[in-house]
Amino acid sequence: MATPANTVIVIGAGPNGLAAAARLAQAGKKVLVVERAAAVGGLSARHEFHPGYAVAGILHDEALLPRAVAEKLGLSRHGLKFQKAPATYLAEASGPGLLLPSDTAGAAEAIGRRSAHDAKSYTAMRAFLDRITPLFASILSEPPPAISPGSAGDLWQIAKRGLSLFRIDRKDLLELARVAPMCVADFLNEKFETPLLVEALAAPAVASTWSGPWSAGTMTNFLLRECAGGEAIEGGPPALIAALLAAARAAGAEIRTETEVARIRLENGNVAGVTLASGETIDAKVVLSSADPKGTMLKLLAPGTLPLKIEEEFINLRARGTAAKVHLALSGPLELTGNEGQLDEAIRIGGGHVDDLERAFDAIKYRQFSERPNLEIRVPTVADPSLAPAGHHTVSILASFAPYKLEGGWTDAARERFGGAVIAVLEQHAPNLRSRIVAREVLSPLDLETRFALTGGQLHHGEIALDQLLMMRPAPSAPRYKTTVPGLFLGGAGSHPGGGVRMTAGVLAAEAVLGG
Amino acid sequence: MSAKKYDAIVVGAGHNGLICAAYLAKAGRKVLVLERRHQVGGATTSEEIYPGFTYTCCSYVVSLLRPWIIRDLELPKYGYEILPLESTFTPFPDGRYLMRDSDPERTRRSIAKFSPKDAEVYKRFGQEMAELGRLIKPLIDDPAPDPLSRDPRELLRLGRLGKQLRGQGDEWLYANVKMMTMSAVDFLSERFECEELIAPMAISGIIGTFLGIRSPGTAYVLLHHYMGEIDGSFRAWGLPKGGTGAIANAIAASARALGVEIRTEAPVAHLLMKGNQATGVVLENGDEIHARAVVSGLDPHRTFLKLVGEEHLDPEITQQVKRFKMRGSSGKVNLALDGLPDLACLPGPGPQLTGGITIAPSIDYLERGYDEAKYGAFSRKPFMDVLIPSLTDPTVAPPGKHTMSIFVQYAPYHLKEGAADWPNQREAFGDAVIDTLSEYMPNLKDRILHRQVLSPWDLEQIYGLTEGNIFHGELSLEQLAFLRPMAGWSRYKTPVDNLWMCASGTHPGGGIMGAPGALCARTMLGKRAV
Amino acid sequence: MPIPSPFHERTSPLCTSYRWKDWAGYCAVSSYDTSHEREYFAFREAAGLLDVTPLYKYEVTGRDAAALLGRMMVRDVTQLKVGRVAYTCWCDDGGKVVDDGTVARLDEDHYRVTAADPTLHWLHALSRGFDVAIEDSSARLAALALQGPTSRDILKSATDADLDKLKFFGVTKAQMGAIPVWISRTGYTGDLGYEVWVDNDQALATWDALIAAGRPYGIEPAGLDALDVSRVEAGYVLLGNDYFSAKKVVLESRKSTPHELGFGWMVDLNRGNFIGRDAIAAEVKRGSIWQLVGLEISWEELEALYASFNLPPSLPVTARRDALPVYAEDGRQIGQATSHTWSPILKKYLAIASVHRGFETLGGKLRIEHTVEYERRQVTATVAKLPFYDPERKRKP
């Protein structure tokens, strides 16, 4: 197949792949997106797990989506609408739970009904986070800083920029330096006396990471999340995909589904195109992969292609899945005790104490899943009833923790046992749940790997850990999307600023292609 | 009493306090050291707890005492003598064992039984660590750089440091970032494949911390293990002759020779304050002693909350002090033995008993011990670092008899029943230690003449270590360098005028290293504070 | 603490000098007699039998064995025919030499690699994605080098191998009586010679068979001192002495490239990718910093130098490994001689040296340090072709 010289092949049609395609096509490149699945969207695609029942995406939380990047791509013209994130209901075993609105004032008021001290602390913490957010927003929307001290974009420079440009005062910076390497449990325990709140605030910082709330460095992930967008979008992740697809197509990008790449071809060390699983070859001088970095560098490139040191960087990139997805089809609403009559869109269920979250993490260290997993729940049918038959509901659960390598393997029985453990936790808060279950799907990390081509079943394409962030992400040899293989770029969740329903890495990688 | 005016009073005669005092006296200052206990040394101590047997009660090996301090204070002249400790022996429950000693080829063969690949890598690992350690060395031999300082001199120094770092190349910088942020297990797993080697190597990353070997930030502490090589002196690990107390005695003797006055059994009640200024101390017997400066050799909690008192502190400082995490995590069991025990995997006397014996059979084993401690219980099957000092230094026990020092982790200060429950759990803890060790040394129990169990609560009661933390504060990333003990106060100076800090709670931290004491004195002299 | 080799039972009683050294963790004989002279002349005039078991040996087997070694070695060993051996070095990503050794293709999918340093981890690290099995056969295989003009006759009488057909750098399976052995026409003496590879449990029988067969041909057990003199004459570099493994040194400047060690002829930049290729290609473009040369040290000047002290010339009796500075005629230090020895057969004082580019011209005059009576002096050294000693029989059929 003859292709023009300025063709870019983008591997993967998730948010990053599509955003990269849109950005490149808008800049005049001829773009071909190849997606192995039958539909576009990757983990953000509408996922029908039982006939007539779907969830809005394997990933169900849009809080990381940056408005600025969406604007850069002109997604509002293609139907993307931001909206306020839903309130989150924190369920508790014996008690009314806590409904936490997504705005500071509302949340503080709700917390204040439990503890005046915590409400005050919450407001102060949010104020601190708001003061440092401009710094984080710039970190999250730009290529990562360089490691060499004294070079234009290094960390000190950013800190200095923080001081000058964002007027962050020295006290906040010192506090930032103190808290960033901490564990999230210590930080939150310093601030709050309500265990339920501490656990719920800590949970997102450890979800699908290989760490518990007592692991050092989890505060960094907390900050990276809390200082991100914090908004939601109308229609959930599939609406983002629809807008991205429209934007990419409008700019002239071609998208081919059911097109799996078997090899990235090189000639004289430079990218020459791809060979598909079908045997077909497509020529291109540039390939931008939004697939995970380990898979791209170690499986799509022929063995022996990379220098040993570079290969070892990607071998050492830790990408162990730690969470499972459980999807439920219900014949009625998900009714929680303590919150009667209210239909929540976002729910968190833990053990009630941050130590319970830590215990849930402990299990995977010994290659076991948590017997009492921590649940991050979305009920997408509250906002979009069309995802299920009338009056029916679907529930999307991110259940932590479940190891990629389970002792004894992820047999059908093991998968069902884990599904049972999730139901058992949920049932304590929703006594009439079991009778309403029409169908359930359990996706272990191994399932996530085989079905969605995620190495290790790691949802972030690479664990979120201090040594795998910023210029260390995904690997020291490729911190700015460009790999050591001329023409090969990494623009997926494995690159800075990371995964989730987000598209920044794809856009920044596209800009690296354009810049080079 | 109060007639005599001193340039400086040092509170606490631990090794850092003594070193600080010695350096100040060396510069011609008149210095008084006040010690609560009947002897000097603090946690650097050996005591005859059982007649005829000298226990190395707390700190038990020396590796890090900075060589320049040994030279400056002429410690060998005052009895400082280190006997080499060359091997680490790791027995496994299934009867296999791993021996690492000063013969590289023998060590290679021992590791090769578990993994020939790892045996090859191990030989190069020490060199790799030494190269990475070039970052650490200037950091521990100088006050911590403060990246947020606005002092032009500090910026100049940072600039120089930056230039130096840049000169090392990006690859080295990346390796260092990884070292600083990774867990010991992750860091070692990038190099080694066999757990039997990774587990005993990883423990140097957690000794004295409330962290597990899988906790991020523990890889950095591994470097300390290689400090000996960095100083260019091989076989730097050793046992002080006469127990660690002998080190304190040597430093005290050197200090006295330099003119330092040392008073034991002179507990300080609190500081004499005039406004925000420390003017001296009040002893528990009511005596007041004045000085131009007071140096605290106590940990940050004791220094501010006890010596100074909250009423003299800005509430924000009080809050910061209280946030400084102490959380002791380890205990000691010391034994008097009427003969050598046998290792089940290699019975009889031999080199396997003369070095360190590490009970760290697997990653899971160590991690489970940590998990128990996280939730407020001592490890039922703890990590142990066992030494029989009398094999290297026969002077500490009667002929034919032996002492055994067992460092045990984890023993959390905060039990779920509360720290005050330690007296009720102490002996159960001791039993757990002896029972576990007996799995590797079946005849150990028959040899025991006397047993001393020190829980973190005991360390607090006896040695004044808040929450029993042997490093005067956790060595976690947010409590290191310019953040130790608090942001903005990492230079031995405190928010209280004329009050200085010289112990392990300041940069560069704990262990018998001596750097905080010496650097504090150097800073005080530089600032003309005395 | 070195351990005995499988031949220890035989070599130990013969080592009347008690001169042993540690070679890769084994006790190895330096010289059986107090002087190594007899052993040296066995290599050159009859046959010397040397225990080379301490060499590291690896069996690389499987469908991708050739591809893996193609990735690792600077020389294209993928095209090696079964029954052939290649001498090659291997590099790190930066094109700096890690080690050198031989690669023998024993079968289509079976290579045997020998190395001076442990190499198992390196082989494994490079093998990701390749269908290969890697076995460390170092402790399983014993090896003897039989080197010298009569070595072929000895092996002919001791084995069934068709040695007239075994060319230089060939390898073949053979029977030594009931003992199955591998024989390769390789060695480190620069003479006609063979290496015999055998399972440990047959080691002593192999030794006995060779000694018995060799008696009429003047066979002598030989030690490492004799080898050291021979290998300098043959111009072979020694890892850890003439150059250092890129994996072990701290300073970049201590590392060497293939071209700097005279291994440039091994490098094929026109085949596919291999470890270090890009860096070597860049170096070829740029030119190497160092060049390996042979030096012949002026005997006349040495004699005159000693005479000025009223002494007859005296040189160390064994090959020396202490590096000597080498100067240009204008006095600048431009390199170092890393091995030097008196060659009993050439009657010359020889050195292997690394010099800055530009000083490698054959016949060029340099100066080398020589110490007499604690005084450091210099004598003229002439750049000479390597190998110094290259008898025709080495490669002749």
Side-chain angles (χ1 to χ4, degrees):
Chain A
M1 182 168 136
T3 43
N6 69 339
T7 296
V8 179
I9 296 172
V10 174
I11 301 175
N16 281 310
L18 290 174
R23 182 74 184 86
L24 288 166
Q26 285 168 358
K29 291 280 181 189
K30 170 119 181 63
V31 182
L32 173 65
V33 182
V34 286
E35 166 59 50
R36 69 193 269 283
V40 299
L43 297 174
S44 296
R46 182 177 188 276
H47 172 71
E48 187 171 296
F49 60 94
H50 187 70
Y53 295 85
V55 290
I58 297 291
L59 298 177
H60 54 211
D61 180 5
E62 307 108 63
L64 296 172
L65 193 65
R67 197 181 261 268
V69 178
E71 277 163 14
K72 191 189 265 184
L73 296 177
L75 295 184
S76 59
R77 285 200 306 281
H78 299 283
L80 188 74
K81 286 196 195 80
F82 279 89
Q83 63 181 20
K84 191 181 164 198
T88 305
Y89 176 65
L90 315 182
E92 67 187 323
S94 49
L98 190 57
L99 185 66
L100 215 56
S102 60
D103 63 294
T104 303
E109 197 198 321
I111 294 166
R113 286 195 285 275
R114 279 293 171 92
S115 154
H117 167 272
D118 284 4
K120 212 174 127 199
S121 266
Y122 187 82
T123 311
M125 178 185 81
R126 284 287 1 157
F128 166 68
L129 294 172
D130 288 345
R131 289 198 298 277
I132 60 171
T133 287
L135 174 62
F136 274 81
S138 94
I139 290 174
L140 289 170
S141 61
E142 287 171 24
I147 192 165
S148 288
S151 62
D154 83 3
L155 271 180
W156 295 150
Q157 302 294 331
I158 288 200
K160 278 210 195 109
R161 202 149 37 123
L163 281 164
S164 56
L165 192 63
F166 306 118
R167 301 191 189 290
I168 293 173
D169 73 14
R170 184 183 145 83
K171 220 164 112 185
D172 281 340
L173 270 184
L174 280 174
E175 177 68 356
L176 182 57
R178 184 183 77 91
V179 304
M182 278 172 75
C183 67
V184 67
D186 267 336
F187 174 82
L188 293 170
N189 279 333
E190 273 178 12
K191 305 245 175 290
F192 304 109
E193 59 185 20
T194 310
L196 179 69
L197 188 62
V198 171
E199 188 196 26
L201 290 174
V206 298
S208 50
T209 73
W210 213 91
S211 44
W214 289 107
S215 302
T218 42
M219 255 318 277
T220 298
N221 197 30
F222 178 87
L223 295 169
L224 287 170
R225 291 188 65 91
E226 296 300 323
C227 297
E231 295 181 280
I233 45 179
E234 245 181 70
L240 172 68
I241 295 303
L244 280 169
L245 190 62
R249 283 203 171 125
E254 185 192 341
I255 289 121
R256 281 174 64 177
T257 53
E258 291 184 273
T259 306
E260 184 173 359
V261 174
R263 237 335 146 248
I264 296 170
R265 280 187 302 114
L266 304 186
E267 269 167 30
N268 297 323
N270 299 308
V271 166
V274 297
T275 304
L276 302 179
S278 64
E280 183 191 342
T281 62
I282 309 172
D283 296 335
K285 296 241 182 303
V286 176
V287 168
L288 187 157
S289 172
S290 70
D292 73 82
K294 271 183 111 97
T296 303
M297 301 301 280
L298 301 178
K299 291 192 202 120
L300 294 185
L301 289 174
T305 302
L306 293 170
L308 182 59
K309 192 155 266 169
I310 309 285
E311 188 178 288
E312 282 179 341
E313 283 181 2
F314 287 94
I315 292 171
N316 288 336
L317 170 64
R318 298 189 304 285
R320 296 162 292 185
T322 64
K325 273 307 301 280
V326 177
H327 302 128
L328 301 178
L330 301 183
S331 58
L334 176 65
E335 286 170 320
L336 299 178
T337 54
N339 197 26
E340 259 85 18
Q342 166 107 22
L343 285 186
D344 293 305
E345 230 184 303
I347 301 157
R348 286 199 170 276
I349 299 180
H353 192 282
V354 74
D355 280 354
D356 295 309
L357 182 59
E358 179 74 14
R359 281 198 182 88
F361 163 63
D362 286 346
I364 61 168
K365 297 192 290 192
Y366 311 106
R367 303 157 299 282
Q368 306 291 334
F369 56 69
S370 321
E371 293 297 339
R372 291 192 49 81
N374 186 282
L375 309 182
E376 175 186 303
I377 303 169
R378 288 298 169 107
V379 188
T381 40
V382 171
D384 182 2
S386 76
L387 291 166
H392 288 217
H393 283 271
T394 60
V395 183
S396 166
I397 305 170
L398 181 70
S400 301
F401 289 80
Y404 170 64
K405 282 192 181 148
L406 184 73
E407 193 85 68
W410 277 108
T411 57
D412 287 346
R415 198 190 288 114
E416 288 315 302
R417 272 202 303 120
F418 186 64
V422 171
I423 301 290
V425 169
L426 191 51
E427 201 175 27
Q428 287 191 321
H429 302 268
N432 54 11
L433 171 75
R434 207 169 280 267
S435 62
R436 289 188 183 166
I437 298 177
V438 176
R440 91 177 180 201
E441 177 189 50
V442 179
L443 296 174
S444 72
L446 187 66
D447 298 325
L448 291 169
E449 176 177 71
T450 46
R451 290 189 51 184
F452 300 95
L454 281 177
T455 302
Q458 166 46 252
L459 292 170
H460 292 292
H461 288 196
E463 291 162 35
I464 304 284
L466 283 182
D467 62 304
Q468 298 195 157
L469 285 175
L470 296 171
M471 63 276 184
M472 309 294 284
R473 190 170 185 87
S477 65
R480 293 177 177 214
Y481 314 102
K482 196 174 173 164
T483 68
T484 53
V485 178
L488 179 57
F489 292 77
L490 293 172
S495 294
H496 175 80
V501 182
R502 184 151 49 174
M503 52 197 176
T504 318
V507 172
L508 292 175
E511 285 170 359
V513 170
L514 297 170
Chain B
M1 268 295 204
S2 60
K4 244 168 144 184
K5 170 98 178 176
Y6 293 93
D7 291 314
I9 294 170
V10 177
V11 183
H15 68 280
N16 276 310
L18 292 170
I19 286 169
C20 181
Y23 272 93
L24 292 175
K26 203 166 180 239
R29 306 301 189 274
K30 195 165 167 50
V31 186
L32 172 68
V33 179
L34 296 170
E35 168 58 43
R36 181 174 60 92
R37 301 190 71 216
H38 61 282
Q39 60 177 39
V40 299
T44 309
T45 176
S46 8
E47 291 168 53
E48 193 176 315
I49 302 287
Y50 182 68
F53 293 81
T54 305
Y55 289 171
T56 285
C57 294
C58 306
S59 313
Y60 56 104
V61 283
V62 192
S63 64
L64 299 171
L65 187 60
R66 309 305 301 137
W68 48 272
I69 294 175
I70 298 173
R71 290 190 292 268
D72 285 352
L73 301 183
E74 299 182 277
L75 297 183
K77 194 168 130 186
Y78 298 100
Y80 173 86
E81 198 177 330
I82 298 293
L83 306 171
L85 194 65
E86 294 181 5
S87 65
T88 306
F89 186 85
T90 311
F92 297 97
D94 60 5
R96 294 177 305 162
Y97 58 86
L98 182 67
M99 176 86 163
R100 294 177 285 148
D101 64 19
S102 55
D103 179 339
E105 193 51 40
R106 193 163 48 201
T107 301
R108 191 185 74 79
R109 285 197 291 265
S110 183
I111 299 172
K113 284 187 293 179
F114 296 90
S115 158
K117 270 197 281 174
D118 284 2
E120 283 183 33
V121 181
Y122 186 81
K123 274 180 105 169
R124 279 194 302 276
F125 185 72
Q127 184 191 328
E128 189 194 345
M129 289 295 97
E131 281 179 51
L132 287 173
R134 284 186 300 181
L135 173 77
I136 305 301
K137 191 173 149 62
L139 287 183
I140 63 169
D141 284 345
D142 273 313
D146 182 355
L148 299 174
S149 166
R150 283 172 184 159
D151 181 340
R153 272 169 308 180
E154 186 62 24
L155 291 176
L156 212 66
R157 184 171 162 228
L158 276 171
R160 270 201 305 274
L161 194 69
K163 206 169 156 194
Q164 207 180 326
L165 292 181
R166 198 158 60 243
Q168 300 287 353
D170 285 0
E171 204 180 293
W172 184 87
L173 284 169
Y174 279 116
N176 261 302
V177 171
K178 293 184 87 159
M179 182 103 221
M180 297 300 288
T181 52
M182 287 175 85
S183 77
V185 167
D186 285 340
F187 186 82
L188 292 168
S189 298
E190 287 193 352
R191 289 153 181 80
F192 300 102
E193 61 178 9
C194 91
E195 226 189 298
E196 289 83 356
L197 182 62
I198 293 174
M201 285 180 82
I203 51 91
S204 25
I206 53 153
I207 286 185
T209 72
F210 206 121
L211 294 166
I213 51 172
R214 289 191 185 278
S215 305
T218 47
Y220 148 79
V221 194
L222 290 175
L223 265 190
H224 278 203
H225 199 81
Y226 291 87
M227 288 309 296
E229 276 93 314
I230 292 163
D231 288 329
S233 57
F234 292 97
R235 301 173 186 180
W237 287 87
L239 269 183
K241 192 173 159 80
T244 35
I247 297 183
N249 291 334
I251 301 170
S254 171
R256 283 199 187 96
L258 289 163
V260 173
E261 184 184 337
I262 301 170
R263 273 191 233 164
T264 52
E265 293 179 88
V268 172
H270 56 83
L271 294 189
L272 276 171
M273 296 288 293
K274 192 171 172 188
N276 187 41
Q277 198 179 334
T279 59
V281 300
V282 184
L283 298 185
E284 275 177 13
N285 64 13
D287 287 355
E288 292 189 359
I289 312 175
H290 294 268
R292 281 178 63 197
V294 179
V295 185
S296 169
L298 314 184
D299 64 60
H301 276 234
R302 280 192 182 221
T303 301
F304 291 106
L305 305 178
K306 182 168 174 276
L307 283 188
V308 179
E310 275 187 53
E311 65 277 19
H312 294 289
L313 290 171
D314 182 332
E316 205 165 306
I317 298 291
T318 307
Q319 191 200 9
Q320 283 192 46
V321 169
K322 285 184 174 166
R323 276 197 316 215
F324 186 74
K325 295 190 294 279
M326 304 302 291
R327 296 203 283 230
S329 61
S330 54
K332 254 321 271 291
V333 174
N334 297 308
L335 302 178
L337 304 174
D338 77 349
L340 280 178
D342 288 298
L343 278 158
C345 59
L346 197 58
Q352 68 272 24
L353 291 177
T354 50
I357 301 164
T358 301
I359 306 298
S362 72
I363 294 170
D364 281 1
Y365 177 98
L366 296 171
E367 197 64 21
R368 283 186 205 282
Y370 170 57
D371 283 350
E372 287 174 298
K374 277 194 303 198
Y375 309 117
F378 59 79
S379 312
R380 289 270 143 203
K381 299 262 179 185
F383 152 62
M384 287 178 270
D385 202 6
V386 182
L387 268 186
I388 307 176
S390 50
L391 273 176
T392 308
D393 176 8
T395 62
V396 297
K401 315 238 184 263
H402 291 279
T403 57
M404 183 183 272
S405 150
I406 311 168
F407 174 85
V408 193
Q409 197 161 324
Y410 299 81
Y413 176 81
H414 294 287
L415 292 169
K416 33 176 194 299
E417 298 83 3
D421 201 47
W422 262 114
N424 303 324
Q425 300 198 23
R426 187 194 295 122
E427 293 312 312
F429 168 60
D431 290 345
V433 169
I434 300 301
D435 288 345
T436 307
L437 194 52
S438 294
E439 292 171 20
Y440 302 87
M441 296 178 176
N443 58 0
L444 175 68
K445 285 181 189 171
D446 310 334
R447 301 270 188 271
I448 299 175
L449 297 171
H450 172 258
R451 157 175 122 177
Q452 179 195 30
V453 182
L454 292 170
S455 73
W457 183 84
D458 298 308
L459 296 176
E460 180 178 64
Q461 298 295 314
I462 303 170
Y463 300 103
L465 296 167
T466 300
E467 298 189 12
N469 190 302
I470 60 172
F471 292 146
H472 284 198
E474 256 177 64
L475 292 177
S476 50
L477 277 177
E478 71 275 15
Q479 300 197 157
L480 286 179
F482 71 100
L483 296 169
R484 190 171 188 86
M486 311 178 244
W489 300 105
S490 64
R491 294 293 177 82
Y492 316 103
K493 199 170 155 32
T494 70
V496 176
D497 291 344
N498 296 345
L499 174 66
W500 298 75
M501 268 186 299
C502 74
S504 297
T506 60
H507 174 83
I512 305 180
M513 178 148 55
L519 293 176
C520 173
R522 194 198 286 172
T523 309
M524 290 174 72
L525 293 166
K527 300 243 182 235
R528 302 189 179 287
V530 277
Chain C
M1 204 175 62
I3 55 172
S5 99
F7 299 108
H8 195 80
E9 237 177 88
R10 295 291 181 272
T11 55
S12 174
L14 296 171
C15 185
T16 54
S17 67
Y18 292 96
R19 297 185 60 235
W20 299 84
K21 68 193 282 186
D22 183 331
W23 176 14
Y26 286 93
C27 313
V29 176
S30 292
S31 65
Y32 287 90
D33 292 347
T34 314
S35 157
H36 62 276
E37 228 176 335
R38 198 158 56 99
E39 297 158 36
Y40 166 79
F41 278 106
F43 282 148
R44 291 294 178 232
E45 308 297 343
L49 186 64
L50 177 79
D51 177 2
V52 292
T53 305
L55 276 174
Y56 291 93
K57 295 155 290 234
Y58 304 93
E59 313 299 313
V60 181
T61 51
R63 198 163 51 89
D64 289 339
L68 165 62
L69 295 175
R71 184 186 189 200
M72 173 167 163
M73 304 298 176
V74 302
R75 195 167 169 188
D76 187 359
V77 295
T78 62
Q79 304 302 319
L80 205 62
K81 290 197 175 64
V82 173
R84 296 294 299 161
V85 185
Y87 176 50
T88 180
C89 67
W90 49 98
C91 291
D92 66 2
D93 290 327
K96 301 298 170 73
V97 181
V98 168
D99 198 350
D100 66 285
T102 59
V103 178
R105 192 164 202 172
L106 304 183
D107 204 340
E108 203 51 50
D109 290 348
H110 181 184
Y111 286 83
R112 176 173 295 155
V113 178
T114 66
D117 267 353
T119 304
L120 186 66
H121 178 257
W122 192 249
L123 280 161
H124 272 283
L126 289 171
S127 68
R128 190 201 59 82
F130 290 103
D131 178 12
V132 290
I134 297 160
E135 187 215 343
D136 183 348
S137 49
S138 305
R140 171 169 73 74
L141 281 180
L144 288 169
L146 182 66
Q147 305 274 307
T150 64
S151 55
R152 185 181 305 166
D153 299 325
I154 296 171
L155 279 178
K156 269 185 182 172
S157 96
T159 71
D160 66 348
D162 186 356
L163 292 165
D164 293 323
K165 286 218 178 109
L166 188 66
K167 288 192 242 165
F168 193 36
F169 277 99
V171 60
T172 183
K173 221 177 209 172
Q175 284 295 129
M176 189 179 288
I179 311 166
V181 295
W182 284 95
I183 299 173
S184 59
R185 192 169 157 188
T186 49
Y188 200 51
T189 58
D191 215 305
L192 172 66
Y194 300 85
E195 286 167 314
V196 180
W197 314 84
V198 63
D199 279 341
N200 273 352
D201 51 2
Q202 304 285 348
L204 295 178
T206 306
W207 175 277
D208 294 340
L210 285 172
I211 291 286
R215 216 158 266 140
Y217 298 99
I219 195 169
E220 287 284 350
L224 293 172
D225 285 357
L227 180 71
D228 223 9
V229 175
S230 311
R231 69 104 189 158
V232 174
E233 291 173 340
Y236 291 135
V237 291
L238 177 66
L239 176 71
N241 184 62
D242 299 301
Y243 80 98
F244 297 89
S245 172
K247 283 198 292 176
K248 283 187 177 168
V249 298
V250 177
L251 294 176
E252 195 59 32
S253 58
R254 267 265 170 142
K255 299 177 183 172
S256 300
T257 68
H259 286 85
E260 291 173 343
L261 295 176
F263 293 156
W265 60 273
M266 299 172 180
V267 179
D268 180 1
L269 291 173
N270 295 320
R271 66 180 175 104
N273 198 17
F274 60 90
I275 294 290
R277 186 197 169 280
D278 293 352
I280 295 174
E283 184 205 1
V284 167
K285 240 184 230 167
R286 201 175 54 231
S288 309
I289 299 169
W290 294 95
Q291 289 291 335
L292 189 88
V293 296
L295 296 178
E296 290 182 6
I297 295 151
S298 164
W299 185 251
E300 290 70 26
E301 285 187 30
L302 275 179
E303 226 167 14
L305 175 61
Y306 279 91
S308 70
F309 286 86
N310 288 323
L311 287 170
S314 103
L315 292 175
V317 289
T318 54
R320 296 297 300 263
R321 296 176 177 185
D322 50 330
L324 296 174
V326 175
Y327 302 90
E329 289 199 298
D330 62 7
R332 273 179 303 147
Q333 186 177 339
I334 48 94
Q336 55 280 335
T338 44
S339 297
H340 44 110
T341 188
W342 169 252
S343 165
I345 197 151
L346 298 174
K347 305 292 178 212
K348 280 177 182 169
Y349 189 31
L350 308 172
I352 292 175
S354 285
V355 296
H356 287 167
R357 179 173 49 172
F359 293 93
E360 70 275 20
T361 324
L362 288 183
K365 300 284 182 210
L366 301 171
R367 313 276 297 161
I368 190 166
E369 186 176 287
H370 194 85
T371 304
V372 184
E373 286 297 299
Y374 313 108
E375 285 187 24
R376 293 177 175 197
R377 302 294 185 90
Q378 292 175 14
V379 289
T380 298
T382 309
V383 178
K385 194 167 163 289
L386 288 176
F388 298 105
Y389 180 71
D390 196 16
E392 218 175 51
R393 59 178 178 258
K394 178 170 88 177
R395 55 186 81 232
K396 228 173 125 181

